[in-house]
Amino acid sequence: MLQGRWWSWGFRSTVMLYFIVLIIFPIIGIYGQSFSSGWAAFAENLTEPLAWKAVLLTVKLALIATVVNMLIGTMSAWVLIRYRFPGRRLLNSLVDLPFALPTAVAGLMILLLLGPRSAVGGLAEQLGFTILFHQPAIVIAMVFVTFPFVIRAVQPLLEEMDSSEEEAAYTLGATKAATFWKVILPNMLPGILSGAMLAFSRALAEFGAVVLVAGNIPGKTLIASVYIFGEIESDNTIGATAVSVLLLTFSFLILWTVNYVQMRRKGG
Amino acid sequence: MRRLWIGLTVAVFGVLLIIPVIRIAMGAFDESWGGFARGLARPETLHALYMTGLIVVVVTVVNTLFGVMLSLYLVRATWLGRRVKQLLNSIVDLPFAVSPVIGGLMIVLLLGPETALGALFNKAGIDIVYALPGMIIATLFVTFPLIVREVMPVLQEIGGAQEEAAATLGASAWTTFWRVTWPSIRWCVVYGVVLTVARAMGEFGAVLVVSGNILFKTQTATTLVYQDVENFNLTAANSIALVLAAGSVTLLLLMEWAKSRREVH
Amino acid sequence: EPGASDVPAEARDVTLVLGAYSVAKDALQEIIPAFNAYWKRETGQTVAFQESYEASGTQARSIIGGFDADVTLLALEGDVDKLVGAGLVSPEWNKDRTNGMITRSIVVLGTRAGNPLGIRDFEDLTKPGVKVLYPNPKTSGGAQWDINAIYGAGLKKAELANGTKDEAAAKQFLVDVHRNIESMDKSGRASMAAFEYGVGDVIVTYENELLARIAQGVEYDVVVPPSTILIENPVAVIDRNADRHGVRKAADAFVEFLYSDEAQRLFAKHGFRPVNEALAEEMADRYPQPPEMFTIDYLGGWDEVRNTLYAKRGIWYQVLAGQ
Amino acid sequence: MHIEVRGLNKKFGDFQAVTNVNFEIEKGQLIGLLGPSGGGKTSILRMLAGLETVDEGDIVFHGKRVNDLPPQERGIGFVFQNYALFKHMTVTDNIAFGLEVKKWSKQKIKERVAELVELTGLSGFEKRYPHQLSGGQRQRVAFARALAPEPQLLLLDEPFAAIDAKIRHELRSWLREMIDRLGITSIFVTHDQDEAIEVADQIMIINKGRLEQKGTPWEIYKNPESPFVASFIGESTIVEDVAALRGFGGPDDLSGAKALIRPEYVEIGKAADFELLSATETGRVRHVHFRGSEWLVEVEIGAAKLVTYRSLEKEILQPGDEVRVLIHRAYLFNDTDSWVVENKLKEDPMPVHI
Amino acid sequence: MHIEVRGLNKKFGDFQAVTNVNFEIEKGQLIGLLGPSGGGKTSILRMLAGLETVDEGDIVFHGKRVNDLPPQERGIGFVFQNYALFKHMTVTDNIAFGLEVKKWSKQKIKERVAELVELTGLSGFEKRYPHQLSGGQRQRVAFARALAPEPQLLLLDEPFAAIDAKIRHELRSWLREMIDRLGITSIFVTHDQDEAIEVADQIMIINKGRLEQKGTPWEIYKNPESPFVASFIGESTIVEDVAALRGFGGPDDLSGAKALIRPEYVEIGKAADFELLSATETGRVRHVHFRGSEWLVEVEIGAAKLVTYRSLEKEILQPGDEVRVLIHRAYLFNDTDSWVVENKLKEDPMPVHI
Ligand SMILES: Nc1ncnc2c1ncn2[C@@H]1O[C@H](COP(=O)(O)OP(=O)(O)OP(=O)(O)O)[C@@H](O)[C@H]1O
Ligand SMILES: Nc1ncnc2c1ncn2[C@@H]1O[C@H](COP(=O)(O)OP(=O)(O)OP(=O)(O)O)[C@@H](O)[C@H]1O
Ligand SMILES: [Mg+2]
Ligand SMILES: [Mg+2]
Ligand SMILES: O=S(=O)([O-])[O-]
């Protein structure tokens, strides 16, 4: 009995220690670095127009990519769990592909498929806009690399869901659509949100795929992670970590708010 | 309606996943089978794949273990206050919000040979950065949220009633976990594992920074692919990418198969 | 290492760790076997190499961060200066016959086959509708050479027109070119790749990069602007690492070997210009000499360039920020 | 809503859950589905609601076959056995759901919800989520949610199982009243015979997937059509050897027949209490239990055990006391037939065949 | 197991669910927790089981304070109100779980499971998963699962709510027997007073988080300590103006007091049926309901409404019939006090103060 206590105490401490050492330390490290030369240097690096323009652009594009992913991700998760059709298993197995592909390859793919020499790129060019090296390409790259998150977070929820809530809605006269919106969707919501959070964070920080397909022109197509990379390479660690800290804090606030709201709703 | 949704989904998959894979496959077999085989049979490819495999295995095992435990604590533990849980819950996702490049840089700055910790390890004859341990730590950091995020919502969804029942029947925490909790979360753990494997396989930025990309030492499949792309060796790059993609798809197909076998009781 | 003194140095096999900038990879991978054969012949010792190829800045940072390289080839003198600053390389490193430089090249313009837009000079890059590629000088050493070349060409133009090195005019020239930028990739190689996949009309890059691609059978036109910059890439032994690993001798020998005719010819095979005057003479017909070619000294040397062009609120920053 | 069900069958795998069920329900009636656990009550209800496909047979509402109509077009309300509340909605939102779907005005919804919250005794809990409620509170929410849109047909699966007597009474009478006022047809499942008898216009007894009998409580009590029904309704003890009981032996062929004797068929007391003393015999009290409003007394007559009730106002009996026992009546059955026999010494000895 | 609970308190947020509950239970007793929905019964049970933390107060098993002991070390069995079956296990596996945890031998587990399956009438369902069972079947599995390891303390949250009378009877008597045989202490929650009265050795009435009264069913019936208990146990009607009833007016100060009158306090019949005709008054039958084994008759005397039972053997009354009514006794209460008054015309006019 006492032994059991020791075990559980040991487990708890190990897990917490791991969490602190692996996750919290480096994050504190980033904050520490960014303030290592004092507040003034930090502020100066952030008030730098190239920096905050890059951050704004990144946030904007990451938001768009997240919304796109919430839509197609929820739809795909739904279709893959609720409908039976030939090829379903194959599609389901393809979901995680964007993760398995080195991001450099993902970038290359987009380059080859949407570049000026490709059919799509050519068509877009004729319609008067360019995809590659402009904002659409960044969004596409972000959507691609974050594609699995929402799907994988929603699927288990749909599988675990108790069908009687749905039946109750039907007996109350709700159409399939109404049932979906009012009963099923709220049940999927934790998954959608947690998937979207991950997707958003990842999109904010994505580097490999984007760097290849974005023009990286400051103010126009330079996103934060590429800016950060530039600062690191030009030996401005403080500038790099300062922008990182900004994105991190922003992410953290969003995550915290979402968690807070969800916990509030559950009252527990 | 049903048709419409299926159609749309297939279209999304087609555009976003299938066409790119076909493009990769075509790229890999640009110079027919020979080019593909050459790209893979190079000693640096084999070594890089070996490194990637090693990292994937270690990272997946460690993160699965800790990820599942942390999710349990974050959902069920009473010894953690509500606020603490909320805070930890929000921190879990942060590694994703950290640009992998910065993540890698932090490891170099915290554990490099110049730092106190790094010097300590160095004395003991263990290199952390620009060596395997650093690469594993970087990948652990980057993939940490995946399993936690997969498991937590399901734990919340199934609720604690079954676990309480087991406890009243005298089952220890350990038994309760394996006999009652695990069967319910097993598939999302598997999903999380697959995501972790895939992400660990594909991680680039962080590994690049901590590995120094040394041929035959710390080069992984991904950094090799990147180098091949830069060196206009597209066939080799595509071949390796294809192998990685095939690896993850096979894993998932296996999982689907195992799952379908379990479904017919 | 324990027992190091018991065994004669020659008998022990050694490992040399080499950290080089990415563009040098193809050439080095031919030179290393040649060196191995040579060294075996000379001393009977086998040298195993551990190689890493990364963008010049990345490489320099890794080495400072603890990457155990014994010898490094970088794109810029400035990057070696960082190593000197970190106490890894002796400040005396460039006090040899070529000031520590091992290869040369020039900045040129690459166009699609047949030069459809009729590009002749940097001047033509300012024309509306011309899509220009060069990498990002923040991350790429190659890009700094490119920007230096454009800026220098602007200075030259002003100097020819009214006799003074008019910085304002040169800056304006840079602004005009930059207006047509399509993409600033993270490295010279990435920029080249984008060009190869169909992006842009003109790429500003190393001459050797283009020559190497052309040697591979890709069709580009190389346009040598009348006034452009001479690129020089340094090599250095990382003294601290080499001493610690006890491979000083092999490292010095390897660097020495790079200056040899044999190595220089291999470099030339991959499009570099030799630093060896005799060889340069011999290959003069392969490498056109731009009439108004200038060196980094024309811009005042690397220190000056760092302080004016790439300084925190410097000229390049103003170009980017549109000030 | 007038309902007709013809030849209903349902299998789960190869387990026959419902077998050839036929019935008809008039508009506005309140029907109790009564039967042992696992009998098929929930399955029948779910098929009526359209939540389970029908394997064979027709379900006809208002003369229209609805087998293929989805649940939301059947105009029903359903109270689930496990409540099936919307986890992510408060009590108010749960109850309002059906009304919002029907696009009632905000004001009307508010009033209706307030009325139902009041009725189900949930005042003060409007803002709670289901996991913050007790079992009975959840059941009441489920009840209110189903009633809110005033459906044409109300299907209730054990709606009172977790509710205490007091609220149950109120809900029942409110239900009764609403049914009468709006002409709603209702079917409710219960495992509790008292409840079925008390509330329902008609009772259907379901056992092993079959409809054993349908009729008013009084009919079913008086004329059970099978031994199962007889033993399921009311309390009773079974006596193997009927002939040994005073007043039931004699010329009739009772071979192979057993007797089912209900407490209310049995009267006990002192010799002075009976007019026809010759019809009584001597028994011995075995146990006396308090039963809330009366005593339950177990008496033994030879090998036969009988139970009967005794008013609290009467003298208290003790185990071991000797008493006179009068058996008014017995329900006899054998493998093929069943019939009621009156005590021959008490009245006319003609058996009443059913 | 001997159990003592002292000063138990529990809050959810700032909702006080359990307030200062104290009690003691002897080893081997069967206790019924009875009370209205939302009263706090489940909460008390969960605290005893260690599933909910105790805000204040002590729980003592066998003289040892167990507040901080985890559930698995308390040696309890728990039947959950919502069953909480293991979804991914068959019936057999569910029941065997607790035994496997205790490392019983394969053979013994098999026997024990077979016995419980038999007892709970689940034969033939051993291989089913919970989602393939009916509500009652699920509850029986939950019951069997909790009983299997023969725990020292058995906590049952509405264990019979979804089970029909017949199986309920069997389970109850088996439970009773097991409790007597093994000396298991048991506490079961029910909202059904009949059940509590029938089965329990002692009843605890829980209302609004407080323990209102604890005692044997007969004690609680005879001497309810509060109007709440009086009205919750047994059926009753409330009469506002007691003085108007024959036999209850007179010199006593009844101002502000109301009367609670149970059906069994009331007798109806023809004039000839009563010896003390002067103690009766005239009433009119309003309704007659069939109640399974008797009639429930509502009578009106002036403004007061009363209910009483009437044997099925007696002549059937019709609404509107005039009858003589004798009220034997009334339970009077005002804001501060409560007492029982006998009909003065019938017996000694001394009120019995409690
Ligand atoms: N998690 C919770 N959060 C807030 N309130 C709660 C929570 N759990 C229970 N309650 C409240 O505490 C009170 C007591 O609940 P409990 O479940 O103990 O009642 P109960 O006596 O078991 O009722 P029932 O017979 O309906 O099951 C109820 O009013 C309920 O709404
Ligand atoms: N999905 C299913 N698969 C297999 N058998 C099932 C399924 N659902 C129900 N059954 C079986 O069908 C029979 C009838 O079940 P049903 O739920 O209709 O019973 P019920 O009369 O409602 O019982 P209760 O009073 O216990 O709720 C039961 O024996 C049950 O085990
Ligand atoms: Mg049922
Ligand atoms: Mg309860
Ligand atoms: O490799 S570069 O630094 O020249 O881009």
Side-chain angles (χ1 to χ4, degrees), chain A residues 11-12 18 30 79 89 92-93 96-97 99 102 104-105 109 144 149 152 155 159-160 201 244 251 259, chain B residues 9 16 21 24 63 69 79 90 96-97 102 106 141 150 158 191 195 198 222 225-226 252-253 256 259-260:
Chain A
F11 269 130
R12 286 174 193 179
Y18 178 82
I30 296 173
V79 168
R89 281 184 194 285
N92 201 9
S93 313
D96 301 307
L97 208 64
F99 271 15
V105 176
M109 247 50 278
F144 182 80
F149 288 119
R152 288 301 185 225
Q155 272 180 335
E159 276 175 355
E160 276 294 321
S201 307
S244 260
S251 280
N259 280 329
Chain B
T9 305
L16 222 51
V21 172
I24 291 175
N63 262 353
M69 302 244 290
W79 50 273
S90 320
F96 268 11
I102 290 275
M106 269 348 285
F141 178 77
E150 283 298 317
I158 59 179
Y191 273 136
L195 285 182
T222 339
V225 165
Y226 192 77
L252 275 155
L253 279 172
E256 288 283 332
K259 205 169 165 183
S260 69

Side-chain angles (χ1 to χ4, degrees), chain A residues 53-263:
Chain A
K53 274 186 189 160
V55 170
L56 279 189
L57 180 75
T58 311
V59 170
K60 181 181 97 180
L61 298 181
L63 271 180
I64 296 175
T66 305
V67 170
V68 170
N69 255 334
M70 279 167 87
L71 296 178
I72 61 178
T74 308
M75 174 184 82
S76 306
W78 172 260
V79 168
L80 288 177
I81 293 290
R82 286 304 177 97
Y83 298 143
R84 294 286 172 270
F85 56 95
R88 184 183 69 94
R89 281 184 194 285
L90 182 72
L91 289 196
N92 201 9
S93 313
L94 284 177
V95 170
D96 301 307
L97 208 64
F99 271 15
L101 285 183
T103 44
V105 176
L108 185 69
M109 247 50 278
I110 297 173
L111 200 81
L112 294 177
L113 287 168
L114 301 179
R117 295 207 190 142
S118 68
V120 185
L123 191 74
E125 206 109 323
Q126 269 174 7
L127 293 176
F129 67 97
T130 350
I131 299 175
L132 211 59
F133 293 97
H134 291 81
Q135 295 182 4
I138 303 178
V139 173
I140 291 172
M142 286 175 168
V143 169
F144 182 80
V145 294
T146 58
F147 183 68
F149 288 119
V150 176
I151 301 184
R152 288 301 185 225
V154 171
Q155 272 180 335
L157 281 186
L158 271 177
E159 276 175 355
E160 276 294 321
M161 205 170 103
D162 186 1
S163 59
S164 60
E165 274 188 51
E166 211 178 322
E167 291 177 350
Y170 290 146
T171 63
L172 288 165
T175 59
K176 288 215 158 146
T179 308
F180 180 83
W181 285 110
K182 296 188 157 186
V183 177
I184 298 172
L185 196 65
N187 271 311
M188 298 199 298
L189 206 60
I192 298 177
L193 284 181
S194 89
M197 287 299 93
L198 286 181
F200 179 70
S201 307
R202 177 93 156 86
L204 273 190
E206 178 48 33
F207 173 69
V210 172
V211 72
L212 270 182
V213 297
N216 306 327
I217 317 282
K220 277 193 272 181
T221 52
L222 179 69
I223 61 158
S225 59
V226 181
Y227 177 85
I228 290 172
F229 185 69
E231 293 309 295
I232 293 179
E233 297 300 277
S234 56
D235 253 352
N236 181 8
T237 321
I238 296 180
T241 45
V243 172
S244 260
V245 158
L246 189 66
L247 289 178
L248 260 177
T249 312
F250 186 65
S251 280
F252 176 78
L253 287 180
I254 291 190
L255 293 171
W256 188 81
T257 315
V258 169
N259 280 329
Y260 182 75
V261 170
Q262 273 194 307
M263 280 218 180

Side-chain angles (χ1 to χ4, degrees), chain E residues 49-68:
Chain E
L51 295 173
E52 203 84 71
T53 56
V54 172
D55 285 354
E56 255 177 67
D58 297 324
I59 297 177
V60 179
F61 289 179
H62 271 323
K64 196 173 146 253
R65 186 170 177 277
V66 295
N67 283 34
D68 302 318

